[in-house]
Amino acid sequence: MQAQVSTDSHIPSSPSPSPVTSPQAPPVPTSDLLAQLRQIVGAPHLHTSEQSTYRYRKGFRFGNGPVEAVVLPGNLVELWQVAQACVQAGRILIMQAANTGLTGGSTPDGSYDRPVVLINTRRLKGIHLLGDGKQVVCLPGSRLHELEALLAPLGREPHSVIGSSCLGASVLGGVSNNSGGALVQRGPAFTQMALFGQVNAQGKLELVNHLGIKLPGSPEEILRKLEAGTFSPEDIDWHAGAGHDANYIKRVRDVEADTPARYNADPEQLYEASGNAGRLVVFAVRLDTFPATKNSRVFYIGSNSTETLEKIRHALLTKFDEIPIAGEYLHRDIFDIADRYGRDTTAIIRLLGTKYLPLLFDIKARVDALGEKYPFIPRSMGDRTLQFLSRFLPRQVPPRIEDYHKRYEHHLLVRTSPELGEKLAPWLEKFFASDENGKDGGFFECTPQEGNLAFLHRFAAAGAAERYVAIHREKVGGIVALDIALRRNDRNWFEHLPKAIADKLELKLYYGHFLCHVLHQDYVVKKGYDPMEVKAEMLVELNKRGARYPAEHNVGHLYHAPEEMVDHYRKLDPCNCLNPGIGKTTKLRNWRAESA
């Protein structure tokens, strides 16, 4: 198959999706395709058995389905050749990086009309610094914690510093899913510069270079040069496109707007690789980096009034020359669950940093796979083992923060620059000195150690509900995990569920990126109730509030993609052969209706 290389500034618009009918390739026997893939990547990097593919087929929190094979290419040329072989053989391709997504967006789900090949890119590591680190080019397997470590000596940071990074998430995965993160000044992960493979309307794989770097030659030559970094400063176009969303600060400051600050289906954030959700074979993305703030200050705020926190949110976004670095919310209930079921996560990060977490998660996945295969091994054995060991760990919450846990229902962690901190401290003193606000809460400035532990505790919350369900699997009905974007002018941000829904829940756990009005809401459903039915009832309530969802974890296989997102997918993948079914769209070739 003759490949093409495009260097146009935009992907040519495909025709209206309904009449697209790419030619159907004749079926290629499984044995022939596997032999070809084995020749490309080597036998150790081709998995076909149910047990060896389990940790790739099973999503971090959701999603599971059969695959014909899992392939782990070792370089970009191998990735290109594997993708070519699978497209030519008429297979569905599912692209996967770290598999840390929470909505099953990089794993199969149910049945398909064609065999599925999953390509995992974790071996494809590599980061190139551009302009003394002001920008970076990241290959598919590059992880956030690796990028963070590379930039630290230069006094710079990536888009996201901790959160997804502590779970071992990939840089490219964040861009592909418009992941948001906790850093208020940076908005969703976004770029207009990428190098990717696209299956065009004729069913052929085409290499598209919109990276803003001159890389002449055939696809294989281009990919070798990029991977090796054999390009010069003169080859870099510094006006090729945006490397982050520069308008986000202005948007998040507009606290009177009747729309969310950010959400996955925002048309302004859907651009080629950004928000592609696996509809492209992305080989590299080019991103901006940011100056690291030295000697940041952390303020811990507690209150029993949601109105008090909302007043603080408005002030932080409107009354000062700059906005905070981060503003994270925790409800008392998730505070407690994170301490009990995320203590080991906090301790591991304190002891080892984020570097070894991907390895630990991989080991846990292997152990869990044994439980799926052998009935005499308990399910979720990895979680059960970690939870047992965590009993022997000391509490990771400092005494002053634990005292606030006892006194206050709502907690807000605010990290600022030293300059903003100098102004914020007296403002908070005056705010809580008033009779009206002083009755409802208080604050203190954290020591560096307290601030670090406070934010680690907040991010341990992200997996705590999942651990709780794994440990109490026999006693609960499952989990509903929502991440929602509230309207920027929504002052009544704390949820009050109707009794008919609340009575079906064992736990309601709230946390999130408060200044952005993005909340993560995890619900443990009581035994006997269907989590999907409960979720459908909750979405009705969210629609009444004008919320958008998901806010930053993308639609995956859990949510219906709105029309603007579906249009983006159709333009990128007119044949519907890369990750079909995402956003509950049709899985059929050429976007045929399921009823056809």
Side-chain angles (χ1 to χ4, degrees):
M1 179 172 66
Q2 181 62 42
Q4 300 177 4
V5 180
S6 171
T7 56
D8 296 337
S9 58
H10 298 282
I11 299 178
S13 297
S14 59
S16 180
S18 52
V20 171
T21 53
S22 66
Q24 177 71 57
V28 174
T30 296
S31 58
D32 291 353
L33 177 61
L34 294 183
Q36 188 176 2
L37 298 178
R38 193 175 294 111
Q39 185 176 14
I40 295 170
V41 301
H45 306 298
L46 178 68
H47 302 283
T48 56
S49 72
E50 189 169 339
Q51 183 175 349
S52 66
T53 61
Y54 175 79
R55 67 183 187 275
Y56 306 101
R57 294 184 289 106
K58 177 72 170 62
F60 182 77
R61 178 178 278 177
F62 178 87
N64 193 3
V67 296
E68 189 174 38
V70 172
V71 192
L72 285 81
N75 55 60
L76 295 185
V77 171
E78 287 186 3
L79 173 57
W80 170 257
Q81 292 172 344
V82 167
Q84 270 193 317
C86 292
V87 169
Q88 195 169 28
R91 268 40 174 193
I92 286 171
L93 280 183
I94 295 180
M95 302 300 301
Q96 180 186 91
N99 192 18
T100 59
L102 301 182
T103 58
S106 61
T107 52
D109 180 64
S111 60
Y112 297 80
D113 64 331
R114 293 149 286 166
V116 175
V117 175
L118 190 153
I119 301 178
N120 182 281
T121 61
R122 67 180 188 177
R123 296 177 64 209
L124 304 178
K125 297 186 179 297
I127 301 171
H128 300 304
L129 300 175
L130 306 181
D132 297 322
K134 293 180 181 178
Q135 288 189 340
V136 291
V137 172
C138 296
L139 303 191
S142 306
R143 300 185 188 244
L144 280 169
H145 68 85
E146 295 166 342
L147 179 56
E148 186 178 345
L150 182 66
L151 292 173
L154 304 177
R156 301 191 70 84
E157 293 177 339
H159 167 269
S160 182
V161 176
I162 194 168
S164 295
S165 58
C166 76
L167 299 176
S170 69
V171 177
L172 197 147
V175 172
S176 295
N177 293 300
N178 287 134
S179 298
L183 301 181
V184 186
Q185 302 170 9
R186 300 178 191 177
F190 176 80
T191 185
Q192 294 177 327
M193 298 174 286
L195 177 70
F196 53 88
Q198 180 193 23
V199 180
N200 61 28
Q202 290 71 46
K204 294 185 177 181
L205 187 66
E206 179 182 35
L207 187 65
V208 181
N209 182 10
H210 292 170
L211 204 56
I213 301 176
K214 293 180 181 178
L215 296 165
S218 67
E220 290 83 0
E221 290 171 329
I222 289 172
L223 295 172
R224 288 192 187 97
K225 291 174 183 176
L226 176 64
E227 190 161 17
T230 53
F231 49 85
S232 67
E234 291 73 26
D235 294 325
I236 301 171
D237 179 1
W238 288 101
H239 303 285
H244 80 286
D245 180 8
N247 296 320
Y248 187 71
I249 291 180
K250 181 179 179 180
R251 193 158 64 247
V252 77
R253 277 185 179 271
D254 186 3
V255 295
E256 300 304 328
D258 198 40
T259 56
R262 57 177 165 94
Y263 59 99
N264 286 139
D266 184 353
E268 293 185 11
Q269 305 301 316
L270 301 176
Y271 186 94
E272 300 181 352
S274 295
N276 80 88
R279 294 291 186 169
L280 299 171
V281 181
V282 184
F283 294 92
V285 292
R286 179 176 162 188
L287 299 162
D288 292 335
T289 68
F290 306 86
T293 301
K294 296 181 180 179
N295 304 315
S296 65
R297 298 171 68 169
V298 174
F299 298 88
Y300 203 98
I301 301 168
S303 179
N304 290 314
S305 166
T306 58
E307 183 181 353
T308 295
L309 288 196
E310 185 61 20
K311 290 177 182 177
I312 294 173
R313 173 179 171 269
H314 269 239
L316 289 173
L317 293 175
T318 62
K319 289 186 177 296
F320 301 95
D321 293 336
E322 62 175 300
I323 62 176
I325 298 168
E328 294 295 294
Y329 168 76
L330 278 172
H331 184 264
R332 174 185 279 155
D333 292 345
I334 187 62
F335 185 108
D336 185 55
I337 292 294
D339 180 41
R340 294 167 57 192
Y341 295 92
R343 187 177 299 182
D344 55 308
T345 300
T346 301
I348 289 170
I349 296 174
R350 287 184 68 187
L351 182 64
L352 301 176
T354 60
K355 179 178 179 180
Y356 295 100
L357 277 182
L359 174 61
L360 295 176
F361 277 108
D362 187 53
I363 293 172
K364 187 180 88 68
R366 290 173 182 267
V367 173
D368 289 342
L370 294 176
E372 296 292 328
K373 182 177 181 180
Y374 301 108
F376 60 86
I377 297 178
R379 294 183 66 187
S380 304
M381 188 63 182
D383 279 303
R384 293 177 184 275
T385 301
L386 289 172
Q387 188 60 29
F388 174 77
L389 294 175
S390 70
R391 297 180 182 180
F392 302 99
L393 293 172
R395 296 198 70 182
Q396 303 296 302
V397 179
R400 284 205 293 177
I401 295 177
E402 174 56 31
D403 178 61
Y404 265 47
H405 168 237
K406 296 175 182 177
R407 292 167 57 187
Y408 300 117
E409 181 180 2
H410 307 285
H411 299 238
L412 179 61
L413 293 65
V414 179
R415 185 184 294 277
T416 74
S417 68
E419 294 78 16
L420 178 57
E422 284 295 321
K423 299 175 183 178
L424 181 58
W427 186 91
L428 287 172
E429 289 278 5
K430 183 178 179 180
F431 179 84
F432 283 111
S434 70
D435 291 339
E436 180 184 1
N437 301 313
K439 295 176 182 178
D440 294 325
F443 86 100
F444 63 88
E445 183 171 359
C446 295
T447 66
Q449 183 184 34
E450 285 175 328
N452 182 48
L453 288 174
F455 273 90
L456 287 181
H457 182 67
R458 153 63 185 92
F459 289 112
E466 189 72 20
R467 171 75 62 81
Y468 179 93
V469 171
I471 299 301
H472 301 282
R473 187 184 296 273
E474 295 79 14
K475 301 178 182 179
V476 300
I479 188 171
V480 173
L482 301 178
D483 74 295
I484 65 170
L486 298 176
R487 293 175 291 118
R488 284 166 280 177
N489 64 356
D490 190 348
R491 293 179 179 270
N492 299 314
W493 55 272
F494 191 73
E495 181 177 67
H496 297 282
L497 289 170
K499 187 175 185 299
I501 299 178
D503 286 348
K504 300 175 183 179
L505 305 175
E506 181 171 317
L507 289 174
K508 302 189 296 290
L509 305 172
Y510 302 101
Y511 54 101
H513 314 310
F514 186 62
L515 299 186
C516 301
H517 252 195
V518 167
L519 291 178
H520 300 298
Q521 302 183 170
D522 294 344
Y523 310 90
V524 179
V525 180
K526 290 180 179 178
K527 195 77 172 178
Y529 294 102
D530 183 352
M532 298 307 293
E533 292 180 2
V534 173
K535 175 190 166 188
E537 295 177 54
M538 290 177 170
L539 295 185
V540 172
E541 297 300 315
L542 289 174
N543 291 338
K544 293 177 183 178
R545 299 174 62 188
R548 299 297 298 263
Y549 48 83
E552 60 181 8
H553 292 158
N554 220 315
V555 291
H557 289 289
L558 288 181
Y559 299 91
H560 285 278
E563 194 56 39
E564 57 266 33
M565 187 175 267
V566 176
D567 288 344
H568 182 59
Y569 295 162
R570 288 179 183 238
K571 180 180 178 182
L572 298 182
D573 181 20
C575 298
N576 202 29
C577 55
L578 281 92
N579 216 6
I582 287 295
K584 297 189 180 293
T585 56
T586 178
K587 294 178 180 178
L588 299 179
R589 186 180 178 91
N590 296 323
W591 295 89
R592 298 195 310 274
E594 297 287 351
S595 58

